[in-house]
Short mmCIF file of all heavy atoms in Angstrom, two decimals:
data_model
loop_
_atom_site.label_atom_id
_atom_site.label_comp_id
_atom_site.label_asym_id
_atom_site.label_seq_id
_atom_site.Cartn_x
_atom_site.Cartn_y
_atom_site.Cartn_z
N MET A 178 142.44 328.30 5.58
CA MET A 178 141.99 327.75 4.30
C MET A 178 140.75 328.49 3.86
O MET A 178 139.89 328.81 4.67
CB MET A 178 141.65 326.27 4.44
CG MET A 178 142.81 325.36 4.58
SD MET A 178 142.29 323.64 4.59
CE MET A 178 142.35 323.30 2.85
N LYS A 179 140.66 328.68 2.57
CA LYS A 179 139.48 329.32 2.02
C LYS A 179 138.42 328.26 1.74
O LYS A 179 138.72 327.07 1.60
CB LYS A 179 139.84 330.05 0.73
CG LYS A 179 140.75 331.21 0.96
CD LYS A 179 140.99 331.96 -0.32
CE LYS A 179 141.88 333.15 -0.07
NZ LYS A 179 142.13 333.92 -1.27
N GLN A 180 137.18 328.70 1.65
CA GLN A 180 136.08 327.79 1.40
C GLN A 180 136.26 327.06 0.07
O GLN A 180 135.94 325.88 -0.05
CB GLN A 180 134.74 328.56 1.41
CG GLN A 180 133.53 327.67 1.38
CD GLN A 180 133.39 326.81 2.62
OE1 GLN A 180 133.85 327.17 3.69
NE2 GLN A 180 132.76 325.67 2.48
N SER A 181 136.78 327.75 -0.94
CA SER A 181 136.99 327.11 -2.25
C SER A 181 138.01 325.97 -2.15
O SER A 181 137.87 324.94 -2.82
CB SER A 181 137.44 328.15 -3.27
OG SER A 181 138.63 328.78 -2.85
N GLU A 182 139.02 326.14 -1.31
CA GLU A 182 140.01 325.07 -1.11
C GLU A 182 139.40 323.90 -0.38
O GLU A 182 139.72 322.74 -0.66
CB GLU A 182 141.20 325.60 -0.32
CG GLU A 182 141.99 326.68 -1.01
CD GLU A 182 143.02 327.32 -0.10
OE1 GLU A 182 142.93 327.17 1.13
OE2 GLU A 182 143.92 327.98 -0.64
N ILE A 183 138.52 324.19 0.55
CA ILE A 183 137.88 323.13 1.34
C ILE A 183 136.96 322.29 0.47
O ILE A 183 136.91 321.07 0.59
CB ILE A 183 137.12 323.75 2.54
CG1 ILE A 183 138.13 324.33 3.53
CG2 ILE A 183 136.23 322.71 3.21
CD1 ILE A 183 137.51 325.10 4.66
N LYS A 184 136.24 322.92 -0.45
CA LYS A 184 135.31 322.19 -1.32
C LYS A 184 136.03 321.23 -2.25
O LYS A 184 135.44 320.24 -2.68
CB LYS A 184 134.48 323.18 -2.14
CG LYS A 184 133.44 323.89 -1.33
CD LYS A 184 132.58 324.78 -2.18
CE LYS A 184 131.52 325.46 -1.33
NZ LYS A 184 130.60 326.26 -2.13
N GLU A 185 137.29 321.51 -2.56
CA GLU A 185 138.05 320.65 -3.47
C GLU A 185 138.57 319.38 -2.78
O GLU A 185 138.97 318.45 -3.46
CB GLU A 185 139.22 321.42 -4.07
CG GLU A 185 138.79 322.55 -4.97
CD GLU A 185 139.94 323.41 -5.42
OE1 GLU A 185 141.10 323.15 -5.02
OE2 GLU A 185 139.68 324.36 -6.17
N LEU A 186 138.58 319.35 -1.46
CA LEU A 186 139.13 318.20 -0.73
C LEU A 186 138.16 317.03 -0.74
O LEU A 186 136.94 317.20 -0.78
CB LEU A 186 139.41 318.59 0.72
CG LEU A 186 140.54 319.59 0.96
CD1 LEU A 186 140.57 319.98 2.43
CD2 LEU A 186 141.87 319.00 0.56
N SER A 187 138.72 315.82 -0.65
CA SER A 187 137.90 314.63 -0.50
C SER A 187 137.47 314.50 0.96
O SER A 187 137.95 315.25 1.82
CB SER A 187 138.71 313.39 -0.91
OG SER A 187 139.78 313.20 -0.01
N VAL A 188 136.61 313.55 1.25
CA VAL A 188 136.16 313.34 2.62
C VAL A 188 137.33 312.96 3.51
O VAL A 188 137.47 313.46 4.64
CB VAL A 188 135.05 312.25 2.68
CG1 VAL A 188 134.67 311.94 4.11
CG2 VAL A 188 133.83 312.70 1.89
N GLU A 189 138.21 312.10 3.02
CA GLU A 189 139.40 311.72 3.79
C GLU A 189 140.30 312.92 4.00
O GLU A 189 140.86 313.11 5.08
CB GLU A 189 140.17 310.59 3.08
CG GLU A 189 139.48 309.25 3.15
CD GLU A 189 139.30 308.77 4.58
OE1 GLU A 189 140.25 308.90 5.38
OE2 GLU A 189 138.21 308.27 4.89
N GLY A 190 140.44 313.73 2.97
CA GLY A 190 141.25 314.95 3.09
C GLY A 190 140.68 315.90 4.12
O GLY A 190 141.42 316.53 4.88
N LEU A 191 139.35 315.99 4.15
CA LEU A 191 138.69 316.85 5.14
C LEU A 191 138.97 316.36 6.56
O LEU A 191 139.26 317.16 7.46
CB LEU A 191 137.18 316.88 4.91
CG LEU A 191 136.68 317.74 3.76
CD1 LEU A 191 135.18 317.50 3.56
CD2 LEU A 191 136.93 319.20 4.02
N LYS A 192 138.90 315.06 6.75
CA LYS A 192 139.15 314.50 8.08
C LYS A 192 140.60 314.73 8.51
O LYS A 192 140.86 315.07 9.67
CB LYS A 192 138.81 313.01 8.10
CG LYS A 192 137.32 312.75 8.01
CD LYS A 192 137.01 311.28 8.02
CE LYS A 192 135.52 311.04 7.90
NZ LYS A 192 135.19 309.61 7.87
N GLU A 193 141.53 314.55 7.58
CA GLU A 193 142.94 314.76 7.90
C GLU A 193 143.22 316.22 8.25
O GLU A 193 143.89 316.51 9.24
CB GLU A 193 143.81 314.35 6.72
CG GLU A 193 143.87 312.86 6.47
CD GLU A 193 144.62 312.50 5.21
OE1 GLU A 193 145.30 313.38 4.63
OE2 GLU A 193 144.54 311.33 4.79
N LYS A 194 142.72 317.13 7.43
CA LYS A 194 142.92 318.56 7.67
C LYS A 194 142.26 318.98 8.97
O LYS A 194 142.79 319.80 9.71
CB LYS A 194 142.37 319.39 6.51
CG LYS A 194 143.21 319.34 5.27
CD LYS A 194 144.48 320.13 5.46
CE LYS A 194 145.26 320.23 4.17
NZ LYS A 194 146.50 320.94 4.33
N SER A 195 141.08 318.43 9.25
CA SER A 195 140.37 318.76 10.48
C SER A 195 141.20 318.37 11.69
O SER A 195 141.36 319.16 12.63
CB SER A 195 139.02 318.06 10.50
OG SER A 195 138.32 318.38 11.67
N ALA A 196 141.75 317.16 11.68
CA ALA A 196 142.58 316.71 12.79
C ALA A 196 143.83 317.58 12.92
O ALA A 196 144.23 317.94 14.04
CB ALA A 196 142.97 315.25 12.58
N GLU A 197 144.40 317.94 11.78
CA GLU A 197 145.61 318.77 11.79
C GLU A 197 145.33 320.15 12.39
O GLU A 197 146.09 320.64 13.23
CB GLU A 197 146.08 318.91 10.33
CG GLU A 197 147.29 319.77 10.13
CD GLU A 197 147.62 319.90 8.65
OE1 GLU A 197 147.55 318.89 7.92
OE2 GLU A 197 147.95 321.03 8.24
N PHE A 198 144.23 320.77 11.97
CA PHE A 198 143.90 322.11 12.47
C PHE A 198 143.44 322.07 13.93
O PHE A 198 143.69 323.01 14.68
CB PHE A 198 142.85 322.79 11.58
CG PHE A 198 143.45 323.45 10.38
CD1 PHE A 198 143.34 322.87 9.13
CD2 PHE A 198 144.12 324.66 10.49
CE1 PHE A 198 143.90 323.48 8.01
CE2 PHE A 198 144.67 325.28 9.38
CZ PHE A 198 144.56 324.68 8.14
N LYS A 199 142.77 320.99 14.36
CA LYS A 199 142.39 320.87 15.77
C LYS A 199 143.63 320.78 16.65
O LYS A 199 143.68 321.39 17.73
CB LYS A 199 141.50 319.64 15.98
CG LYS A 199 140.09 319.84 15.51
CD LYS A 199 139.25 318.60 15.75
CE LYS A 199 137.85 318.78 15.21
NZ LYS A 199 137.04 317.58 15.38
N LYS A 200 144.63 320.04 16.19
CA LYS A 200 145.89 319.93 16.94
C LYS A 200 146.57 321.29 17.01
O LYS A 200 147.03 321.71 18.08
CB LYS A 200 146.80 318.91 16.25
CG LYS A 200 148.20 318.84 16.78
CD LYS A 200 148.30 317.90 17.94
CE LYS A 200 149.74 317.64 18.34
NZ LYS A 200 150.19 318.45 19.43
N GLN A 201 146.59 321.99 15.88
CA GLN A 201 147.21 323.32 15.85
C GLN A 201 146.47 324.28 16.78
O GLN A 201 147.09 325.07 17.49
CB GLN A 201 147.19 323.86 14.42
CG GLN A 201 147.88 325.19 14.27
CD GLN A 201 147.83 325.71 12.84
OE1 GLN A 201 147.30 325.08 11.94
NE2 GLN A 201 148.37 326.89 12.65
N TYR A 202 145.15 324.18 16.81
CA TYR A 202 144.34 325.05 17.67
C TYR A 202 144.65 324.79 19.14
O TYR A 202 144.86 325.73 19.91
CB TYR A 202 142.85 324.83 17.39
CG TYR A 202 141.94 325.64 18.27
CD1 TYR A 202 141.89 327.02 18.17
CD2 TYR A 202 141.13 325.02 19.22
CE1 TYR A 202 141.05 327.76 18.99
CE2 TYR A 202 140.31 325.74 20.03
CZ TYR A 202 140.26 327.12 19.92
OH TYR A 202 139.44 327.86 20.74
N SER A 203 144.71 323.52 19.52
CA SER A 203 144.99 323.22 20.93
C SER A 203 146.41 323.66 21.31
O SER A 203 146.63 324.16 22.42
CB SER A 203 144.78 321.73 21.22
OG SER A 203 145.68 320.95 20.49
N ASP A 204 147.35 323.50 20.39
CA ASP A 204 148.72 323.96 20.66
C ASP A 204 148.78 325.48 20.83
O ASP A 204 149.47 325.98 21.72
CB ASP A 204 149.66 323.54 19.53
CG ASP A 204 149.91 322.04 19.48
OD1 ASP A 204 149.58 321.36 20.48
OD2 ASP A 204 150.41 321.56 18.46
N LEU A 205 148.05 326.20 19.97
CA LEU A 205 148.02 327.65 20.08
C LEU A 205 147.39 328.11 21.39
O LEU A 205 147.86 329.04 22.03
CB LEU A 205 147.26 328.26 18.90
CG LEU A 205 147.99 328.32 17.57
CD1 LEU A 205 147.03 328.75 16.47
CD2 LEU A 205 149.15 329.28 17.65
N LYS A 206 146.30 327.45 21.79
CA LYS A 206 145.63 327.81 23.03
C LYS A 206 146.56 327.60 24.22
O LYS A 206 146.63 328.43 25.13
CB LYS A 206 144.35 326.98 23.22
CG LYS A 206 143.21 327.35 22.30
CD LYS A 206 142.60 328.66 22.66
CE LYS A 206 141.74 328.51 23.89
NZ LYS A 206 141.07 329.73 24.27
N LEU A 207 147.28 326.49 24.23
CA LEU A 207 148.21 326.20 25.31
C LEU A 207 149.34 327.22 25.34
O LEU A 207 149.68 327.76 26.39
CB LEU A 207 148.78 324.79 25.17
CG LEU A 207 149.78 324.38 26.23
CD1 LEU A 207 149.12 324.35 27.61
CD2 LEU A 207 150.40 323.05 25.91
N ALA A 208 149.90 327.51 24.17
CA ALA A 208 151.00 328.46 24.10
C ALA A 208 150.55 329.86 24.53
O ALA A 208 151.29 330.58 25.20
CB ALA A 208 151.55 328.52 22.68
N HIS A 209 149.33 330.21 24.19
CA HIS A 209 148.80 331.53 24.55
C HIS A 209 148.52 331.64 26.05
O HIS A 209 148.65 332.71 26.64
CB HIS A 209 147.54 331.84 23.75
CG HIS A 209 147.03 333.22 23.92
ND1 HIS A 209 147.76 334.33 23.54
CD2 HIS A 209 145.88 333.70 24.44
CE1 HIS A 209 147.07 335.43 23.81
NE2 HIS A 209 145.93 335.07 24.36
N SER A 210 148.15 330.53 26.66
CA SER A 210 147.89 330.57 28.10
C SER A 210 149.19 330.71 28.90
O SER A 210 149.20 331.30 29.97
CB SER A 210 147.12 329.33 28.55
OG SER A 210 147.92 328.19 28.40
N VAL A 211 150.27 330.15 28.37
CA VAL A 211 151.55 330.23 29.05
C VAL A 211 152.20 331.60 28.82
O VAL A 211 152.56 332.30 29.76
CB VAL A 211 152.50 329.11 28.57
CG1 VAL A 211 153.88 329.27 29.15
CG2 VAL A 211 151.92 327.76 28.92
N THR A 212 152.32 331.97 27.57
CA THR A 212 152.92 333.24 27.17
C THR A 212 152.06 333.84 26.08
O THR A 212 151.78 333.15 25.10
CB THR A 212 154.34 333.02 26.60
OG1 THR A 212 155.10 332.27 27.54
CG2 THR A 212 155.03 334.33 26.32
N PRO A 213 151.63 335.08 26.21
CA PRO A 213 150.78 335.67 25.17
C PRO A 213 151.44 335.60 23.79
O PRO A 213 152.62 335.87 23.65
CB PRO A 213 150.63 337.12 25.62
CG PRO A 213 150.86 337.09 27.08
CD PRO A 213 151.84 335.98 27.32
N LEU A 214 150.64 335.19 22.82
CA LEU A 214 151.14 335.09 21.46
C LEU A 214 151.36 336.46 20.85
O LEU A 214 150.70 337.44 21.23
CB LEU A 214 150.14 334.33 20.58
CG LEU A 214 149.92 332.86 20.88
CD1 LEU A 214 148.82 332.31 19.99
CD2 LEU A 214 151.19 332.08 20.67
N GLU A 215 152.26 336.51 19.90
CA GLU A 215 152.51 337.76 19.20
C GLU A 215 151.29 338.16 18.38
O GLU A 215 150.95 339.33 18.27
CB GLU A 215 153.73 337.61 18.29
CG GLU A 215 154.18 338.88 17.64
CD GLU A 215 155.47 338.69 16.87
OE1 GLU A 215 156.40 338.04 17.39
OE2 GLU A 215 155.53 339.20 15.74
N ASN A 216 150.61 337.17 17.79
CA ASN A 216 149.43 337.43 16.99
C ASN A 216 148.28 336.55 17.49
O ASN A 216 148.04 335.46 16.96
CB ASN A 216 149.72 337.15 15.51
CG ASN A 216 148.57 337.53 14.61
OD1 ASN A 216 147.58 338.09 15.06
ND2 ASN A 216 148.70 337.24 13.33
N PRO A 217 147.53 337.01 18.49
CA PRO A 217 146.45 336.18 19.04
C PRO A 217 145.28 335.99 18.07
O PRO A 217 144.47 335.09 18.27
CB PRO A 217 146.01 336.95 20.28
CG PRO A 217 146.47 338.33 20.06
CD PRO A 217 147.69 338.25 19.21
N LEU A 218 145.20 336.79 17.02
CA LEU A 218 144.13 336.61 16.04
C LEU A 218 144.30 335.32 15.26
O LEU A 218 143.35 334.84 14.63
CB LEU A 218 144.07 337.80 15.08
CG LEU A 218 143.66 339.12 15.72
CD1 LEU A 218 143.66 340.23 14.68
CD2 LEU A 218 142.31 339.01 16.37
N LEU A 219 145.48 334.74 15.31
CA LEU A 219 145.72 333.46 14.66
C LEU A 219 144.85 332.37 15.27
O LEU A 219 144.39 331.46 14.57
CB LEU A 219 147.20 333.09 14.77
CG LEU A 219 147.68 331.88 14.03
CD1 LEU A 219 147.43 332.03 12.54
CD2 LEU A 219 149.16 331.68 14.28
N ILE A 220 144.59 332.47 16.58
CA ILE A 220 143.73 331.50 17.26
C ILE A 220 142.33 331.53 16.64
O ILE A 220 141.74 330.49 16.35
CB ILE A 220 143.65 331.79 18.78
CG1 ILE A 220 145.03 331.59 19.41
CG2 ILE A 220 142.63 330.88 19.45
CD1 ILE A 220 145.11 332.04 20.85
N ARG A 221 141.82 332.72 16.42
CA ARG A 221 140.49 332.87 15.82
C ARG A 221 140.45 332.30 14.41
O ARG A 221 139.50 331.60 14.04
CB ARG A 221 140.09 334.35 15.78
CG ARG A 221 138.71 334.56 15.20
CD ARG A 221 138.41 335.99 14.86
NE ARG A 221 138.72 336.93 15.93
CZ ARG A 221 138.71 338.25 15.77
NH1 ARG A 221 138.43 338.78 14.60
NH2 ARG A 221 138.99 339.04 16.78
N LYS A 222 141.49 332.56 13.66
CA LYS A 222 141.56 332.09 12.27
C LYS A 222 141.54 330.56 12.22
O LYS A 222 140.81 329.96 11.41
CB LYS A 222 142.82 332.64 11.62
CG LYS A 222 142.97 332.32 10.17
CD LYS A 222 144.22 332.96 9.60
CE LYS A 222 144.41 332.60 8.16
NZ LYS A 222 145.66 333.15 7.63
N VAL A 223 142.32 329.93 13.08
CA VAL A 223 142.39 328.47 13.10
C VAL A 223 141.07 327.88 13.58
O VAL A 223 140.58 326.89 13.03
CB VAL A 223 143.57 327.98 13.97
CG1 VAL A 223 143.55 326.48 14.15
CG2 VAL A 223 144.88 328.42 13.34
N ARG A 224 140.46 328.49 14.61
CA ARG A 224 139.17 328.00 15.12
C ARG A 224 138.11 328.05 14.04
O ARG A 224 137.32 327.11 13.88
CB ARG A 224 138.75 328.83 16.33
CG ARG A 224 137.46 328.34 16.96
CD ARG A 224 137.08 329.12 18.19
NE ARG A 224 136.77 330.50 17.84
CZ ARG A 224 137.32 331.58 18.40
NH1 ARG A 224 138.25 331.44 19.32
NH2 ARG A 224 136.97 332.78 18.03
N ARG A 225 138.09 329.12 13.26
CA ARG A 225 137.10 329.25 12.20
C ARG A 225 137.36 328.28 11.06
O ARG A 225 136.42 327.78 10.44
CB ARG A 225 137.06 330.69 11.70
CG ARG A 225 136.44 331.58 12.73
CD ARG A 225 136.33 333.00 12.28
NE ARG A 225 135.70 333.81 13.33
CZ ARG A 225 135.52 335.11 13.25
NH1 ARG A 225 135.92 335.78 12.19
NH2 ARG A 225 134.94 335.75 14.24
N THR A 226 138.62 327.97 10.80
CA THR A 226 138.94 326.98 9.79
C THR A 226 138.46 325.61 10.22
O THR A 226 137.92 324.84 9.41
CB THR A 226 140.46 326.95 9.51
OG1 THR A 226 140.87 328.24 9.08
CG2 THR A 226 140.82 325.94 8.45
N VAL A 227 138.62 325.28 11.49
CA VAL A 227 138.12 324.00 12.03
C VAL A 227 136.60 323.94 11.83
O VAL A 227 136.06 322.92 11.41
CB VAL A 227 138.49 323.84 13.52
CG1 VAL A 227 137.75 322.66 14.13
CG2 VAL A 227 139.99 323.66 13.67
N ALA A 228 135.92 325.03 12.09
CA ALA A 228 134.46 325.06 11.94
C ALA A 228 134.06 324.91 10.47
O ALA A 228 133.10 324.20 10.16
CB ALA A 228 133.91 326.37 12.50
N ARG A 229 134.80 325.54 9.57
CA ARG A 229 134.50 325.40 8.14
C ARG A 229 134.66 323.96 7.68
O ARG A 229 133.85 323.44 6.92
CB ARG A 229 135.41 326.30 7.30
CG ARG A 229 135.04 327.73 7.32
CD ARG A 229 135.88 328.51 6.31
NE ARG A 229 135.72 329.92 6.56
CZ ARG A 229 136.59 330.70 7.20
NH1 ARG A 229 137.72 330.19 7.64
NH2 ARG A 229 136.34 331.96 7.39
N LEU A 230 135.73 323.32 8.15
CA LEU A 230 135.97 321.92 7.78
C LEU A 230 134.86 321.02 8.33
O LEU A 230 134.37 320.13 7.63
CB LEU A 230 137.33 321.47 8.30
CG LEU A 230 138.55 322.06 7.59
CD1 LEU A 230 139.80 321.80 8.41
CD2 LEU A 230 138.69 321.49 6.21
N ALA A 231 134.46 321.25 9.56
CA ALA A 231 133.41 320.43 10.18
C ALA A 231 132.08 320.64 9.46
O ALA A 231 131.33 319.69 9.24
CB ALA A 231 133.27 320.79 11.65
N THR A 232 131.80 321.87 9.06
CA THR A 232 130.56 322.16 8.35
C THR A 232 130.53 321.46 7.01
O THR A 232 129.52 320.86 6.63
CB THR A 232 130.41 323.68 8.15
OG1 THR A 232 130.40 324.31 9.43
CG2 THR A 232 129.14 324.02 7.40
N GLU A 233 131.62 321.51 6.27
CA GLU A 233 131.69 320.86 4.97
C GLU A 233 131.59 319.35 5.12
O GLU A 233 130.91 318.69 4.32
CB GLU A 233 133.00 321.23 4.27
CG GLU A 233 133.13 320.68 2.87
CD GLU A 233 132.12 321.25 1.88
OE1 GLU A 233 131.63 322.38 2.06
OE2 GLU A 233 131.82 320.54 0.89
N LEU A 234 132.18 318.80 6.14
CA LEU A 234 132.12 317.36 6.38
C LEU A 234 130.69 316.93 6.68
O LEU A 234 130.19 315.94 6.14
CB LEU A 234 133.05 316.99 7.54
CG LEU A 234 133.45 315.54 7.70
CD1 LEU A 234 134.10 315.01 6.44
CD2 LEU A 234 134.40 315.39 8.86
N THR A 235 130.01 317.69 7.52
CA THR A 235 128.61 317.40 7.84
C THR A 235 127.72 317.52 6.62
O THR A 235 126.85 316.68 6.39
CB THR A 235 128.11 318.37 8.94
OG1 THR A 235 128.96 318.22 10.09
CG2 THR A 235 126.68 318.06 9.32
N LYS A 236 127.97 318.54 5.83
CA LYS A 236 127.17 318.75 4.61
C LYS A 236 127.31 317.59 3.66
O LYS A 236 126.33 317.13 3.07
CB LYS A 236 127.61 320.05 3.94
CG LYS A 236 126.71 320.50 2.81
CD LYS A 236 126.92 321.94 2.42
CE LYS A 236 128.23 322.16 1.70
NZ LYS A 236 128.33 323.50 1.11
N ARG A 237 128.52 317.07 3.53
CA ARG A 237 128.74 315.93 2.63
C ARG A 237 128.13 314.65 3.17
O ARG A 237 127.67 313.80 2.41
CB ARG A 237 130.23 315.73 2.38
CG ARG A 237 130.80 316.83 1.54
CD ARG A 237 132.19 316.53 1.14
NE ARG A 237 132.80 317.69 0.50
CZ ARG A 237 134.01 317.67 -0.02
NH1 ARG A 237 134.74 316.58 0.04
NH2 ARG A 237 134.49 318.76 -0.57
N GLU A 238 128.15 314.47 4.47
CA GLU A 238 127.56 313.27 5.06
C GLU A 238 126.04 313.24 4.90
O GLU A 238 125.44 312.18 4.80
CB GLU A 238 127.92 313.16 6.54
CG GLU A 238 129.37 312.80 6.77
CD GLU A 238 129.76 312.82 8.22
OE1 GLU A 238 128.95 313.26 9.07
OE2 GLU A 238 130.89 312.40 8.54
N LEU A 239 125.43 314.40 4.89
CA LEU A 239 123.98 314.48 4.75
C LEU A 239 123.50 314.30 3.31
O LEU A 239 122.32 314.05 3.09
CB LEU A 239 123.45 315.81 5.31
CG LEU A 239 123.62 316.00 6.81
CD1 LEU A 239 123.16 317.39 7.23
CD2 LEU A 239 122.85 314.94 7.57
N GLN A 240 124.40 314.40 2.36
CA GLN A 240 124.01 314.24 0.95
C GLN A 240 123.98 312.79 0.54
O GLN A 240 124.57 311.94 1.01
CB GLN A 240 124.97 314.99 0.04
CG GLN A 240 124.78 316.48 0.12
CD GLN A 240 125.73 317.21 -0.82
OE1 GLN A 240 126.65 316.63 -1.39
NE2 GLN A 240 125.50 318.50 -0.96
#
């Protein structure tokens, strides 16, 4: 997800997407440990998306 897409989400939407991407990240990590993924850079992309969502959520809570 791009930062512009993240800013358009509501707080509930952020929480839902965050949970969804965290699940995807853990699934990718497990799959990669068993059998190397065809595109391991996908793990990095998902991890950074989780961080972007968490950052936006924290920023909104502090306002």
Side-chain angles (χ1 to χ4, degrees):
M178 286 185 90
K179 293 184 178 181
Q180 189 65 27
S181 59
E182 296 171 343
I183 292 173
K184 287 184 179 184
E185 294 173 359
L186 292 173
S187 66
V188 175
E189 287 299 317
L191 284 172
K192 289 180 181 178
E193 289 174 12
K194 286 287 187 182
S195 180
E197 178 183 318
F198 277 104
K199 284 180 183 178
K200 171 87 170 97
Q201 183 181 359
Y202 177 68
S203 63
D204 291 345
L205 283 171
K206 288 288 285 182
L207 179 64
H209 187 63
S210 67
V211 174
T212 307
L214 292 175
E215 187 174 316
N216 186 4
L218 294 179
L219 187 59
I220 295 172
R221 182 193 311 169
K222 185 178 177 183
V223 172
R224 183 177 65 234
R225 289 182 179 177
T226 301
V227 169
R229 283 188 193 102
L230 289 166
T232 301
E233 184 66 26
L234 197 57
T235 302
K236 189 164 72 170
R237 290 189 189 184
E238 288 175 352
L239 294 176
Q240 287 181 349

